[in-house]
Amino acid sequence: MRGNQDFQGAMFSYISLEERVPAAHPLRKLRAVVDALLATMSSEFEAVYARRGRPSVPPEMLLKALLLQILFSIRSERQLVEAVNYNLLYRWFVGLN
């Protein structure tokens, strides 16, 4: 079953990640393009996921994380997970709180 991207407000921070990323940052434009492209692929993603069962990580988030891995030359998926855990810019790009 394909998981949904549920965005909830910050629980302990008064400043959202959206406000922390500078307006002129190059990843802002890239994220808009990538989100638009992935939105067009939503029906294809939906077709390959089961209708029942436990929801998965949305494929859009996984693909955006892999794009970060390529752009920032992160050598392994383990290092990618570590980088997404502590880098607020990466968390914002992927769509995590």
Side-chain angles (χ1 to χ4, degrees), residues 23 55 62 75 77 79 82:
L62 296 173
R75 292 180 300 197
E77 288 181 3
Q79 288 179 338
E82 184 179 323

PDB file of all heavy atoms in Angstrom, residues 23 55 62 75 77 79 82:
ATOM      1  N   ALA A  23      15.068  32.187   0.387  1.00  0.00           N
ATOM      2  CA  ALA A  23      14.193  32.299  -0.795  1.00  0.00           C
ATOM      3  C   ALA A  23      14.961  32.129  -2.097  1.00  0.00           C
ATOM      4  O   ALA A  23      14.417  31.630  -3.089  1.00  0.00           O
ATOM      5  CB  ALA A  23      13.481  33.643  -0.773  1.00  0.00           C
ATOM      6  N   PRO A  55       1.227   1.050   4.975  1.00  0.00           N
ATOM      7  CA  PRO A  55       1.702   2.088   4.046  1.00  0.00           C
ATOM      8  C   PRO A  55       3.229   2.159   4.017  1.00  0.00           C
ATOM      9  O   PRO A  55       3.894   1.985   5.036  1.00  0.00           O
ATOM     10  CB  PRO A  55       1.127   3.380   4.624  1.00  0.00           C
ATOM     11  CG  PRO A  55       0.038   2.968   5.530  1.00  0.00           C
ATOM     12  CD  PRO A  55       0.383   1.597   6.028  1.00  0.00           C
ATOM     13  N   LEU A  62      11.518   9.060  -1.579  1.00  0.00           N
ATOM     14  CA  LEU A  62      12.704   8.255  -1.859  1.00  0.00           C
ATOM     15  C   LEU A  62      13.458   8.790  -3.076  1.00  0.00           C
ATOM     16  O   LEU A  62      14.695   8.884  -3.058  1.00  0.00           O
ATOM     17  CB  LEU A  62      12.303   6.796  -2.089  1.00  0.00           C
ATOM     18  CG  LEU A  62      11.686   6.081  -0.899  1.00  0.00           C
ATOM     19  CD1 LEU A  62      11.176   4.711  -1.317  1.00  0.00           C
ATOM     20  CD2 LEU A  62      12.692   5.959   0.235  1.00  0.00           C
ATOM     21  N   ARG A  75      28.219   9.251  -0.846  1.00  0.00           N
ATOM     22  CA  ARG A  75      28.743   8.001  -1.375  1.00  0.00           C
ATOM     23  C   ARG A  75      27.889   6.768  -1.151  1.00  0.00           C
ATOM     24  O   ARG A  75      27.987   5.809  -1.901  1.00  0.00           O
ATOM     25  CB  ARG A  75      30.138   7.750  -0.806  1.00  0.00           C
ATOM     26  CG  ARG A  75      31.147   8.742  -1.315  1.00  0.00           C
ATOM     27  CD  ARG A  75      32.477   8.470  -0.739  1.00  0.00           C
ATOM     28  NE  ARG A  75      32.379   8.572   0.718  1.00  0.00           N
ATOM     29  CZ  ARG A  75      33.385   8.705   1.535  1.00  0.00           C
ATOM     30  NH1 ARG A  75      34.597   8.708   1.063  1.00  0.00           N
ATOM     31  NH2 ARG A  75      33.211   8.817   2.824  1.00  0.00           N
ATOM     32  N   GLU A  77      24.010   4.951   0.634  1.00  0.00           N
ATOM     33  CA  GLU A  77      22.679   5.196   1.174  1.00  0.00           C
ATOM     34  C   GLU A  77      22.716   5.376   2.688  1.00  0.00           C
ATOM     35  O   GLU A  77      21.928   6.126   3.239  1.00  0.00           O
ATOM     36  CB  GLU A  77      21.732   4.063   0.782  1.00  0.00           C
ATOM     37  CG  GLU A  77      21.379   4.110  -0.690  1.00  0.00           C
ATOM     38  CD  GLU A  77      20.424   3.014  -1.098  1.00  0.00           C
ATOM     39  OE1 GLU A  77      19.970   2.241  -0.235  1.00  0.00           O
ATOM     40  OE2 GLU A  77      20.135   2.936  -2.309  1.00  0.00           O
ATOM     41  N   GLN A  79      25.134   6.869   4.351  1.00  0.00           N
ATOM     42  CA  GLN A  79      25.529   8.263   4.550  1.00  0.00           C
ATOM     43  C   GLN A  79      24.403   9.217   4.165  1.00  0.00           C
ATOM     44  O   GLN A  79      24.243  10.273   4.774  1.00  0.00           O
ATOM     45  CB  GLN A  79      26.781   8.581   3.737  1.00  0.00           C
ATOM     46  CG  GLN A  79      28.030   7.954   4.292  1.00  0.00           C
ATOM     47  CD  GLN A  79      29.251   8.278   3.446  1.00  0.00           C
ATOM     48  OE1 GLN A  79      29.138   8.616   2.264  1.00  0.00           O
ATOM     49  NE2 GLN A  79      30.426   8.168   4.051  1.00  0.00           N
ATOM     50  N   GLU A  82      22.029   9.358   7.088  1.00  0.00           N
ATOM     51  CA  GLU A  82      22.647  10.168   8.143  1.00  0.00           C
ATOM     52  C   GLU A  82      22.574  11.656   7.805  1.00  0.00           C
ATOM     53  O   GLU A  82      22.238  12.484   8.658  1.00  0.00           O
ATOM     54  CB  GLU A  82      24.105   9.741   8.338  1.00  0.00           C
ATOM     55  CG  GLU A  82      24.810  10.449   9.459  1.00  0.00           C
ATOM     56  CD  GLU A  82      26.242   9.965   9.628  1.00  0.00           C
ATOM     57  OE1 GLU A  82      26.486   8.753   9.448  1.00  0.00           O
ATOM     58  OE2 GLU A  82      27.104  10.802   9.943  1.00  0.00           O
TER      59      GLU A  82
END
